[in-house]
Structures are given as C-alpha cells and as structure tokens.
Amino acid sequence: MTDKAFRFGVVAGATEGAAKWLATARRAEELGYSTLLCPDNLNMPTPTAALAAAAAATTELRVGSFVLASPLRTARAAAWEAHSLTVVTGGRFELGLGTGRPEMRQQAEELGLPYGTGQERLDSISETIDHVRRLDGDAHTPVMIAAGGPKVRRLAGLKADIVTLAGGVLTTREEMAEYVAEIRAAAGERDLEFAMNIWVVGDEIPPWIRGFIGVDAETLIERDSLGMLRGDVDAMVEELERRREAFGVSYISVNGAFIEQFAPVVARLAGK
C-alpha cells in the first residue's frame, strides 16, 4: 500500500531531569530511531523546552510533540512555539497535534483557557496549521495529527503530513483499514505518511501503561490488538511489514520503556 521506508520514534517525557532526558535522546540517536517524541501535559516539563534541549544534544535526531493538546494553548501560541522549534532545530521538528484527553479540561482551566467543544478543539488544530504555514514561509514544519474520530480523520487527510492512527487499543484490523480509507479519500492526491504507536512490546505491560490504556495483556492478546507487538525479532519484523502492506503504516513509535528491547527491530527495518 505504500513505498515509504520504515522509520521509528521513541515516546518519552523529561520527567526524570536533564541528565536522563539528554541521555535518552543520545541513546535514541545511537540506536537508529528517527525521532524523539514528547507528550504534552502540565504534570511534566513542556515539550517545546524538552525537545529543544534534545535537539541541541544530538546531531541528526528529529524531535516531535506527541501531541500538543489544543486546549492547552491558543492556536497562535501553538504555531509560534512550533515554528520557533523548526528554526532552532534546523528543521528537525515535527509538530504533532491532537484535541486532548478528557483530563485536559482541568489543565486548561489552570491555564485560564476554555476546554472547548469537540468542534472548537478541532478548529483550533486547523487554525494552528494555518498559522504555522504562514510563519514558516519557505520552510515546512511537518504536521502530524492524531486521528481518532471521523472529523479529525477528515481534517488529517486534508491538512496533515503525517497521520497517527489513533483508534483505541482494541480497534480491529478491519476497522483500521476503513479508517485509512477515509483518510486517503479526504487526502485525494496528497502524499501522506501513516504512523502507529505501539503501546506494548512483548507480553508484559508496565503498570502505568496498563492504567493508561485500561486493558490488560491477556485482553490485548485475545483481541489481536494493534497496540501490542509480540514474539521474537523475526516475528515483530514480519508483523510490521504486514501492517505496512495492509494500512500503509511506515512510521512506528514505541514508549521509552521499550527503547532497548525494540532496538533490534529498528536495526532490521529502519530505512527499508
């Protein structure tokens, strides 16, 4: 379905201080990961500051927000931060955008910002992209949209460069294929890169990931979850190639807890 080569990202936050964060960035680059991706949450250092530091500590590693939550900034402020990162990283920044999780309501209130309706949060994403394009001029900040529902899938098809398929962890393969078709229909002739986040590598879920996704390992295995990747390196490589063929997914991200465990897969597939 796609001729795009594989690339890989690591999702991590700068929650354990500068030394650990910069070591993670350097290690990701050493292992061949394309991108260090940072979540957006008031309970951790802001991704823009963390990503600027990570880019300064590396030479080729790309950095990206995963994802900036629209309720936590005005569209113009988000675009300002994004364009600034594109400038100071020498074009190594990827702007990930999303409508935010339910807990962002309280965080938006702390910032004195409205949480907004679903449509208002979606409109904010669209406006952010428009502002970024204006600020970039001849530059181009790649925009990733986390595409869950039908409205955001349509917006992603129309405006994103990268689309993260953000259905729930129990989304079936048939449903995912339908989502991809929706996005491609909205995109028309536009060339998109499809991405997927892997929540669990192997058969065991770290407790905090289990709490976040709300599903245990047994259920993920039973339901053939696309949020899990299991088996030896050969099996994982085969599964990712299967997903690229079925969904066009070539950009795979994993949580920082699995950076070493997943590295042999990166070594086998990156750039191929």
Side-chain angles (χ1 to χ4, degrees):
M1 181 176 282
T2 182
D3 58 359
K4 293 188 182 300
F6 279 109
R7 67 184 181 117
F8 299 91
V10 175
V11 182
T15 56
E16 299 183 53
K20 178 66 180 295
W21 174 246
L22 298 182
T24 297
R26 296 186 183 105
R27 186 58 176 158
E29 185 170 59
E30 289 171 1
L31 293 172
Y33 288 90
S34 163
T35 317
L36 179 60
L37 300 158
C38 186
D40 189 25
N41 190 303
L42 289 190
N43 297 319
M44 62 177 64
T46 175
T48 49
L51 294 171
T58 54
T59 56
E60 297 182 357
L61 184 72
R62 300 186 64 78
V63 295
S65 53
F66 198 76
V67 291
L68 291 190
S70 62
L72 300 187
R73 297 163 190 79
T74 66
R76 182 62 177 83
W80 176 37
E81 293 185 18
H83 175 68
S84 298
L85 274 170
T86 292
V87 172
V88 301
T89 65
R92 287 193 279 151
F93 175 65
E94 298 173 3
L95 170 61
L97 295 168
T99 55
R101 293 173 57 84
E103 61 265 26
M104 295 297 175
R105 182 183 296 275
Q106 179 180 345
Q107 296 190 13
E109 290 176 357
E110 291 180 35
L111 293 170
L113 295 170
Y115 180 69
T117 65
Q119 187 60 54
E120 287 170 338
R121 299 196 305 277
L122 194 63
D123 290 344
S124 180
I125 291 176
S126 182
E127 292 166 13
T128 297
I129 296 170
D130 292 342
H131 285 307
V132 168
R133 296 294 176 242
R134 177 178 57 81
L135 292 170
D136 273 352
D138 293 334
H140 183 82
T141 301
V143 171
M144 169 194 285
I145 292 181
K151 290 183 179 180
V152 72
R153 287 196 290 270
R154 174 171 171 74
L155 178 62
L158 292 173
K159 289 192 170 184
D161 302 291
I162 308 160
V163 182
T164 293
L165 300 171
V169 292
L170 300 183
T171 299
T172 67
R173 292 175 189 265
E174 292 75 17
E175 289 169 334
M176 193 64 77
E178 292 174 2
Y179 297 163
V180 170
E182 287 179 34
I183 296 164
R184 288 192 184 279
E189 297 300 314
R190 297 183 65 245
D191 184 32
L192 300 178
E193 182 178 32
F194 283 92
M196 183 177 288
N197 185 55
I198 305 298
W199 287 99
V200 181
V201 177
D203 295 318
E204 297 183 6
I205 307 180
W208 68 268
I209 293 181
R210 165 68 176 84
F212 191 82
I213 65 176
V215 181
D216 59 27
E218 291 75 14
T219 301
L220 293 177
I221 294 169
E222 179 184 344
R223 299 284 292 274
D224 186 30
S225 172
L226 293 169
M228 175 181 256
L229 201 60
R230 305 167 58 225
D232 60 16
V233 173
D234 288 341
M236 288 191 279
V237 165
E238 182 178 342
E239 173 59 20
L240 291 180
E241 290 175 332
R242 177 186 177 192
R243 295 185 191 187
R244 181 168 63 176
E245 177 63 27
F247 313 124
V249 171
S250 58
Y251 188 4
I252 303 294
S253 58
V254 298
N255 187 273
F258 304 109
I259 185 172
E260 299 291 342
Q261 184 178 347
F262 193 65
V265 177
V266 175
R268 285 270 294 274
L269 287 180
K272 299 177 181 177

